[in-house]
Structures are given as structure tokens and as C-alpha cells.
Amino acid sequence: MDKRLLTIQDISCVGQCSLTVALPVISACGIETAILPSSVLSNHTGGFSGWTFHDLTEDMPKILERWLTEKVSFDAFYTGYVSKAQIPHILEIMEKSARPGALRIVDPVMADNGKLYAGFDDDFPQEMKKLIKGADVIMPNLTEAAFLLRQPYIADGYDEAYIEKLCRDLFSLGAKNVLITGVSFEPAKLGVAVYDGKKVQYYFNEKQALSAHGTGDLFASVVAGSLLRGKTLLEAASLAADVVVEAIKFTAGDKDHWYGVKFEKALPYLVKRLG
Ligand code: PXL
């Protein structure tokens, strides 16, 4: 039977993030992708002056009930931008519709650059720990890692010992593998740290001048799709970082395109790299 992944995150109708990235990217990886929209927004909340927000929490148990009647099941779950109230529903979905050995991939989307996103309460990071416990892979950025561990956010000037302690502390929240994004030990390089409970491994690229919205979702989607294609976590993370760099290169220089990255143009590169 072919692998089927369920991704749970919002539809930001415009803005190249969350489901409008995850669905095409994971599909391009050759993986059947089912979606459960957590909410529908007119546009994402990062840089626009406002947005509409339609919450879909109430639909979650009804959708699960239908799926169970139809015997729908999944080989993997990948969660992104969700609300506090949705976490118990998501846990139930993962429990009741998992195929044997199903992967739980959790991107604890909530914050960046030292700040929680608009609409997330201070207690959200502690609720997110419920999804992290039992996850196979978690992918916080440095801000999210700090919020989860109730530590101050350190933007730069840290060393390997700091990152390795973050990895161990996040691992002790109950995730089997930890992937930290946005790691940089020297100004010209940006990369990721991957920890499996034994050793921390790194992958770096040349740092791009443009820091764009939606790159976290692009990264996480490539990781999810590549893992289901049988890549190791370090291979998946390295490919995902390379795809993000490609997408940024297509976007840089277009001032009108401030709201996201042109990931569509990096899809042929992704497909080629996956073979
Ligand atoms: O890219 C993360 C994300 C997802 N969904 C919505 C967002 C954001 C980040 O701001 O606003 C609605």
C-alpha cells in the first residue's frame, strides 16, 4: 500500500505558507497527502495589516468520525499552525487513525525572532508540549525552542554547547528526534542541528541575505515528504535546507514579493534531488 500522510495546519488563502505550501510540496515528493485545515485565514499574520480568521476546531471530531467509518488511516502525521483547543483533537486523530508504525512529525509553529505570532497566548508553548511528547520528529526554530523550554531567546553569539543542550532538553520533553532550525555559529552560515538522542549533527548553507516568511513551512514540508521517501532525518533536513535556499534565490530581488518565497520554482529541484 502506498504511503499516505495527513497534514494538519491552517489554510492561509494568500501568502505561501502552511497548507498552500505543504500540499504541493509533499505531493511533489510523490506522497499521497491528505489535509485537515485547522483554520482558514484570508492571508497569513506575518506582515499584512489584518486578516480574517475562521476556526475549524468543531469540524475536527466530525471529520475524524467520518474517517473512522470509512476506515481511513495514515502512515504519517505532520502538524503545523494549530490552536490550543485543537491539540486534544489532534492527539485523538493520531491515536485512532494511525497505521502501524505511523510517524508523528510536529512543527511547533508559534513564534519567530524572539516573539510569539499574533494570536498565540503565553501558555500556548506549554500546551504544545502535549504534541511534542511522543512525536518522532520535532522541528522548532530557536525562538520556539526557547519558549518550549521557558528560557530566554538567544539570537546569536551562542556556541555548540548551547545548541547541544537545547537538543537534549527538547529530547527530554519526549520527542524521539529533535531538529532545530536557524542555527548559526558564524555570520555567513545558517543551518540545522539534528539530534537522535545520541549525537548532534549539523548541516549548513551559505546564509542568504533575504529572511523570508514561510520558509519554516517549506522546510518542514520537505522534511516530511523526504522522510516518507525513506531518507534519514539528516538527509531530509539537508535537502530541505537546500530547497529553502533555492526558493530564496528565486525570490530575492523581487521587492513586491515580501510575503513569502517562490517555492513553486524550486519544485523541479526538489523532485530531481529525490530521484
Ligand atoms: O508560517 C507560519 C504561519 C502559518 N500560518 C499562519 C501564520 C504563520 C506565521 O506567521 O500567520 C496563519
Side-chain angles (χ1 to χ4, degrees):
M1 204 194 293
D2 283 350
K3 295 235 165 92
R4 180 195 280 151
L5 174 145
L6 173 66
T7 182
I8 307 173
Q9 46 189 316
D10 70 289
I11 297 179
S12 283
C13 300
V14 167
Q16 288 171 312
C17 70
S18 38
L19 276 183
T20 65
V21 174
L23 180 54
V25 166
I26 302 168
S27 299
C29 294
I31 302 299
E32 180 184 345
T33 311
I35 62 168
L36 181 56
S38 55
S39 49
V40 179
L41 295 86
S42 52
N43 46 268
H44 64 64
T45 68
F48 292 96
S49 60
W51 50 88
T52 68
F53 184 91
H54 182 73
D55 181 81
L56 291 171
T57 310
E58 281 184 11
D59 289 52
M60 288 184 162
K62 294 186 263 183
I63 289 172
L64 174 62
E65 204 181 301
R66 283 294 318 135
W67 285 347
L68 294 178
T69 304
E70 303 288 349
K71 299 198 165 28
V72 169
S73 58
F74 304 99
D75 298 286
F77 303 92
Y78 153 37
T79 67
Y81 183 101
V82 300
S83 75
K84 209 163 43 181
Q86 291 171 345
I87 289 174
H89 294 301
I90 294 169
L91 286 168
E92 187 183 2
I93 290 165
M94 295 200 294
E95 212 169 279
K96 294 191 172 161
S97 66
R99 291 179 183 164
L103 273 185
R104 295 186 181 194
I105 303 165
V106 173
D107 185 0
V109 174
M110 60 176 126
D112 205 359
N113 299 313
K115 285 198 300 251
L116 287 170
Y117 291 138
F120 286 85
D121 296 335
D122 289 344
D123 59 348
F124 184 82
Q126 300 315 305
E127 289 296 312
M128 178 50 76
K129 286 185 184 170
K130 294 178 183 162
L131 273 186
I132 283 179
K133 191 169 178 216
D136 293 280
V137 180
I138 60 167
M139 304 186 238
N141 59 36
L142 282 174
T143 300
E144 289 158 346
F147 273 110
L148 286 167
L149 298 171
R150 297 178 191 264
Q151 293 179 10
Y153 165 63
I154 302 177
D156 48 32
Y158 49 77
D159 58 8
E160 288 194 18
Y162 170 73
I163 295 298
E164 288 165 20
K165 171 118 177 36
L166 280 186
C167 286
R168 286 194 302 274
D169 290 349
L170 289 165
F171 184 85
S172 68
L173 297 180
K176 297 186 186 77
N177 295 275
V178 174
L179 201 176
I180 302 182
T181 60
V183 174
S184 180
F185 298 123
E186 43 183 314
K189 303 263 182 202
L190 186 66
V192 297
V194 175
Y195 181 61
D196 60 358
K198 294 185 201 90
K199 65 173 186 294
V200 179
Q201 291 172 291
Y202 295 97
Y203 180 76
F204 291 99
N205 270 306
E206 298 299 317
K207 190 171 188 167
Q208 304 298 305
L210 178 72
S211 151
H213 194 275
T215 50
D217 298 337
L218 176 57
F219 178 87
S221 300
V222 176
V223 169
S226 308
L227 284 176
L228 288 191
R229 284 288 299 270
K231 303 288 181 201
T232 66
L233 184 56
L234 185 63
E235 287 166 351
S238 307
L239 173 55
D242 292 349
V243 169
V244 168
V245 169
E246 284 295 304
I248 288 177
K249 284 181 178 164
F250 282 115
T251 314
D254 182 351
K255 284 203 183 58
D256 293 332
H257 209 99
W258 56 268
Y259 51 84
V261 280
K262 302 183 184 184
F263 73 93
E264 302 87 351
K265 296 191 164 47
L267 291 178
Y269 173 83
L270 167 63
V271 171
K272 201 165 148 205
R273 285 279 306 269
L274 278 172

